């Protein structure tokens, strides 16, 4: 076929350069420079007969050379009836083709046995060209001396390994013989190497590179290797790949790897956050690397290698030099892969897929113009709505402390980087009634089923509804419940009604609001995107240990609330309340949604109408927390090692008042319980004295543990996020007649100068620390690439 993306100027074969040494010929024989100008046309005709060009349209090899030398009759640099093209610098002759392809020839057995392995493991055609590329092309390796870095072709019998690539020096001998004589690094580099970096070279490559021994191999055993950039001959197994795919447990983990690291989707698997399809390019990858859209194999091979290497060791910066050692592929294409590695690695770093978390980079990963960052913090501490309290003998998060879904969660990554263990929360949560009786688990399961069935009907109802037809979630739930009871003739018992109220209070806790404020159409808008799966965990040491590490080396100005952000000129001018001024190329705004709603920062010019509408279509949800330290663990015998227990509200109006109690010491030594206040209970306690809130909580605990003593707490705290001047909220939700699209609108930048981050700008993962963190990574990527 014709070359796509044709070259601008015709390249002359490097063999045509006058005075080049014979060993440097690119892809043709040395031209006899002494040939007289008076040569007759007849001699020219004879010359044409003696040498045949490569028939591949656009190939620069005027005088090809056979790399295979397999047949005794190999054409070498002479005449053959046909040249087989692998790249512009790599061809094999018809005689060597026959040597392997014809059943009566010596090489046929070698080709046939390779073909059997390839067919068993792979999906692509086991052609003779594929065999030559996979088994016969010589390896290329780069000199590791910093002042050399020239590429050298290894002899055919030498196998390339990562350790050889890491130590190779020009002239290296492989039989323990010391090298004498001239400096081998002074020898010129083969001229074919220079061609490889040209854009057209890749388009003239017949077969995509398939890596051997890739670090991605253990992650991708359930895929055909050649579909994910790896050679089917690289690791022949006793079971064929087809058999392996049929019996493989998709949850199989790579030995020694953190179980929360699952960067690749397994076949037929979907809906796992921060996972990539190892056999497909994502949209942002296609946008960044359009040249791989026709055949993404090289990109996938590099990207999968990088992701696997990062997850095998996330405690050190991953560099292109480290990754390139593991590019084990024959032929000149290895040179091209090493060139491309730098671009792919930089892209993945900028996107926050690798070299992220609390990693201390020895040198900045971004260009110098992005390194001068000043953080203006209104409070006297970092963290915002993350605030750990250690006054009760264990760490208790006044704000966030639980990680919901640890697989691929960047919080889990940071814990791994810092060797911090998270406590996996168990699933058992017994529900106790006031009076102390445990609720029959069958009733709990039945009401959980009905509750979820009602939400399923809400999902069906909203399918054809516009925003203007939206209703409050609470109203819709009550309507559907009433219809269900009428249509079915079922009647819920008094206890079943109370258990349903418990589940509704949990929903209000998740939304951070009473259900009469929440959109029935969009309350769970983010569930349409892949979410974090796996264990829910408690950060026993709190989030601050991670935040302090993230903040190391940053220029943070505390007690510095911002008053105005003027982006009307070429630079952005920022003024704080005390009159201090800063100028910046770019500004990132991370204030909570409530403060945007209340215009706590004046923007010049004002925020666009579209953004203001989005800001006011989201709700600022509030939950409060209470934590109590007791002289002893009075609950142990009754809850039998569970991490939490539930409280069935005695009446609907009591819903949300201490509905779940968490045991905050996984070691079971300290006696600390934490509970949540949500829904209508939030305004009920807003103006109460802390001691009064504690008394109310103790009343509930004494009802739940009526058969025993519940002592007075030795210490306690009550959060007051609704009164916290710099937050005035817990997390966002979609209000009735709103839409999840508002999160995207909030995330839009202003003229490439003012950017926005925070949980209320993350449509996929709102309401979470993870979402806030990822929004920061997203904006950093946008700011550094603009």
């Amino acid at each position: 076929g014709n070359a796509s993306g044709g070259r601008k100027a015709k390249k002359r074969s490097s063999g045509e350069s006058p005075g080049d040494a014979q060993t440097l010929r690119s892809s043709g024989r040395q031209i006899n420079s002494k040939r007289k100008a008076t040569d007759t046309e007849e001699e020219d005709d004879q010359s044409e007969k003696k040498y045949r060009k490569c028939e591949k349209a656009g190939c620069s090899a005027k005088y090809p050379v056979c790399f295979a030398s397999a047949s005794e009759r190999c054409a070498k640099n002479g005449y053959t009836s046909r040249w087989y093209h692998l790249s512009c610098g790599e061809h094999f002759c018809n005689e060597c083709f026959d040597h392997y392809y014809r059943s009566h020839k010596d090489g046929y057995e070698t080709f046939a046995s390779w073909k059997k392995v390839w067919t068993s493991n792979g999906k692509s055609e086991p052609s003779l060209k594929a065999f030559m590329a996979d088994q016969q092309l010589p390896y290329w390796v780069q000199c590791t001396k910093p002042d050399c870095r020239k590429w050298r072709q290894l002899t055919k019998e030498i196998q390339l390994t990562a350790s050889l690539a890491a130590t190779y020096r020009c002239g290296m001998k492989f039989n323990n013989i010391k090298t004498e004589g001239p400096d081998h690094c002074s020898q010129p580099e083969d001229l074919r190497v220079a061609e490889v970096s040209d854009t057209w070279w890749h388009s003239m490559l017949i077969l995509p590179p398939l890596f051997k021994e890739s670090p991605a191999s253990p992650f991708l055993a359930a895929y055909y290797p050649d579909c994910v950039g790896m050679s089917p001959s690289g690791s022949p197994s006793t079971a064929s790949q087809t058999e392996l795919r049929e019996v493989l447990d998709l949850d199989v983990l790579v030995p020694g790897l953190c179980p929360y690291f699952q960067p690749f989707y397994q076949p037929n698997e979907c809906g796992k956050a921060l996972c990539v399809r190892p056999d497909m390019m994502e949209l942002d990858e296609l946008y960044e690397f359009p040249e791989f859209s026709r055949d993404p194999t090289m990109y996938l091979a590099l990207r999968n290698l990088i992701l696997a290497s990062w997850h095998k060791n996330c405690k050190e910066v991953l560099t292109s030099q480290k990754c390139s050692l593991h590019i084990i592929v024959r032929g000149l294409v290895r040179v091209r892969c090493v060139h491309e590695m730098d671009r792919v690695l930089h892209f993945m770093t900028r996107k926050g897929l690798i070299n992220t978390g609390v990693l201390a980079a020895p040198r900045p990963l971004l260009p110098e113009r992005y390194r001068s960052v000043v953080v203006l913090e209104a409070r006297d501490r970092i963290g915002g709505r993350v605030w750990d309290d250690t006054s009760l003998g264990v760490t208790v998060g006044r704000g966030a402390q639980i990680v919901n879904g640890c697989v691929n969660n960047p919080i889990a990554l940071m814990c791994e980087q810092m060797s911090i263990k998270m406590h996996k929360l168990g699933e058992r949560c017994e529900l106790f009634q006031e009076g102390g009786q445990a609720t029959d688990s069958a009733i709990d399961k039945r009401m959980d089923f009905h509750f979820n069935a009602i939400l399923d009907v809400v999902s069906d109802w909203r399918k054809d509804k516009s925003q203007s037809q939206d209703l409050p979630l609470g109203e819709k739930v009550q309507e559907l419940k009433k219809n269900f009871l009428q249509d079915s003739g079922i009647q819920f018992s008094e206890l079943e009604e109370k258990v349903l109220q418990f589940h509704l209070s949990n929903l209000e806790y998740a939304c951070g609001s009473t259900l009469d404020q929440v959109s029935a159409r969009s309350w769970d808008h983010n569930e349409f995107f892949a979410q974090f799966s796996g264990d829910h965990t408690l950060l026993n040491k709190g989030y601050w240990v991670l935040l302090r590490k993230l903040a190391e080396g940053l220029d943070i100005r505390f007690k510095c609330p911002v008053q105005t952000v003027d982006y009307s000129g070429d630079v952005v001018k920022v003024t704080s309340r005390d009159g201090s001024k800063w100028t910046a190329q770019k500004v990132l705004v991370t204030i909570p949604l409530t403060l945007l709603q209340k215009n706590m920062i004046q923007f010049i010019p004002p925020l666009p109408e579209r953004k203001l509408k989005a800001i006011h279509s989201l709700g600022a949800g509030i939950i409060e927390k209470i934590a109590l330290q007791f002289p002893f663990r009075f609950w142990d015998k009754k809850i039998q090692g569970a991490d939490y227990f539930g409280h069935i509200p005695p009446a609907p109006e009591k819903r949300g008042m201490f509905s779940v109690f968490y045991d905050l010491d996984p070691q079971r030594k300290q006696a600390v319980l934490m509970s949540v206040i949500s829904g209508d209970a939030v305004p009920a306690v807003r103006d109460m004295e802390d001691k009064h809130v504690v008394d109310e909580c103790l009343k509930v605990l004494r009802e739940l543990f009526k058969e025993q003593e519940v002592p007075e707490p030795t210490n306690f705290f009550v959060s007051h996020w609704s009164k916290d001047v710099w937050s005035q909220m817990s997390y966002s939700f979609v209000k009735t007649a709103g839409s999840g699209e508002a999160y995207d609108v909030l995330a839009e930048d202003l003229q490439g100068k003012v950017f926005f981050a925070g949980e209320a700008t993350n449509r996929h993962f709102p309401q979470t620390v993870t979402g806030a963190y990822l929004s920061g990574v997203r904006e950093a990527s946008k700011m550094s690439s603009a």
Side-chain angles (χ1 to χ4, degrees), residues 86-145:
L86 292 183
S87 79
C88 283
E90 294 160 326
H91 300 79
F92 59 97
C93 68
N94 198 56
E95 288 70 23
C96 287
F97 176 95
D98 283 351
H99 175 77
Y100 289 110
Y101 195 72
R102 307 294 173 199
S103 57
H104 62 282
K105 297 280 188 178
D106 293 347
Y108 179 76
E109 286 289 317
T110 308
F111 174 51
S113 59
W114 169 89
K115 192 174 179 180
K116 188 177 177 183
V117 173
W118 189 279
T119 307
S120 173
N121 290 339
K123 204 172 182 184
S124 56
E125 179 66 26
S127 64
L128 191 83
K129 280 190 174 182
F131 167 76
M132 288 297 210
D134 189 69
Q135 296 290 306
Q136 299 300 311
L137 273 173
Y139 283 107
W140 288 76
V141 65
Q142 196 171 23
C143 179
T144 55
K145 286 177 75 171

Side-chain angles (χ1 to χ4, degrees), residues 3-223:
S4 59
R7 291 167 283 145
K8 290 180 181 172
K10 177 138 179 79
K11 280 238 168 246
R12 70 178 176 190
S13 169
S14 38
E16 297 177 75
S17 302
D20 282 340
Q22 182 74 16
T23 55
L24 293 183
R25 62 178 179 263
S26 166
S27 39
R29 68 188 275 281
Q30 185 95 8
I31 290 180
N32 185 350
S33 56
K34 294 181 181 177
R35 198 163 71 175
K36 295 176 185 175
T38 55
D39 280 349
T40 63
E41 286 181 16
E42 187 181 333
E43 284 173 308
D44 277 345
D45 288 340
Q46 285 175 352
S47 177
E48 285 301 317
K49 285 174 192 170
K50 194 174 179 184
Y51 301 101
R52 181 181 286 275
K53 293 179 185 176
C54 173
E55 292 167 15
K56 171 77 175 166
C59 179
S60 59
K62 226 175 183 180
Y63 302 97
V65 180
C66 181
F67 65 76
S69 298
S71 166
E72 286 182 6
R73 299 178 60 203
C74 174
K76 297 189 171 32
N77 62 348
Y79 175 83
T80 183
S81 58
R82 180 180 176 186
W83 284 110
Y84 292 87
H85 173 108
L86 292 183
S87 79
C88 283
E90 294 160 326
H91 300 79
F92 59 97
C93 68
N94 198 56
E95 288 70 23
C96 287
F97 176 95
D98 283 351
H99 175 77
Y100 289 110
Y101 195 72
R102 307 294 173 199
S103 57
H104 62 282
K105 297 280 188 178
D106 293 347
Y108 179 76
E109 286 289 317
T110 308
F111 174 51
S113 59
W114 169 89
K115 192 174 179 180
K116 188 177 177 183
V117 173
W118 189 279
T119 307
S120 173
N121 290 339
K123 204 172 182 184
S124 56
E125 179 66 26
S127 64
L128 191 83
K129 280 190 174 182
F131 167 76
M132 288 297 210
D134 189 69
Q135 296 290 306
Q136 299 300 311
L137 273 173
Y139 283 107
W140 288 76
V141 65
Q142 196 171 23
C143 179
T144 55
K145 286 177 75 171
D147 56 348
C148 177
R149 307 296 291 159
K150 290 191 180 86
W151 285 93
R152 304 299 189 194
Q153 179 179 302
L154 297 176
T155 53
K156 270 177 65 176
E157 66 275 7
I158 298 170
Q159 298 292 315
L160 181 64
T161 62
S163 58
L164 173 57
T167 56
Y168 180 79
R169 297 283 181 99
C170 291
M172 180 184 276
K173 296 292 182 185
F174 297 91
N175 52 5
N176 296 323
I177 299 172
K178 287 186 179 178
T179 51
E180 304 285 343
D183 173 18
H184 292 279
C185 289
S186 65
Q187 298 296 315
E189 188 174 60
D190 191 305
L191 292 174
R192 285 176 290 176
V193 173
E195 287 186 340
V196 175
S197 58
D198 287 337
T199 48
W200 60 267
W201 190 91
H202 183 234
S203 67
M204 297 295 291
L205 194 63
I206 290 294
L207 296 163
L210 297 173
F211 296 177
K212 299 171 188 279
E213 309 302 329
S214 171
S217 184
F219 292 85
L220 303 176
Y223 280 90

Side-chain angles (χ1 to χ4, degrees), residues 84 275 313 362 415 419 442 461 466 579-580 607 627 728 739 742 767:
Y84 292 87
C275 245
N313 181 10
C415 288
S419 303
W461 164 83
S466 65
S580 301
L607 294 178
Q728 301 179 39
S739 155
Q767 307 174 322

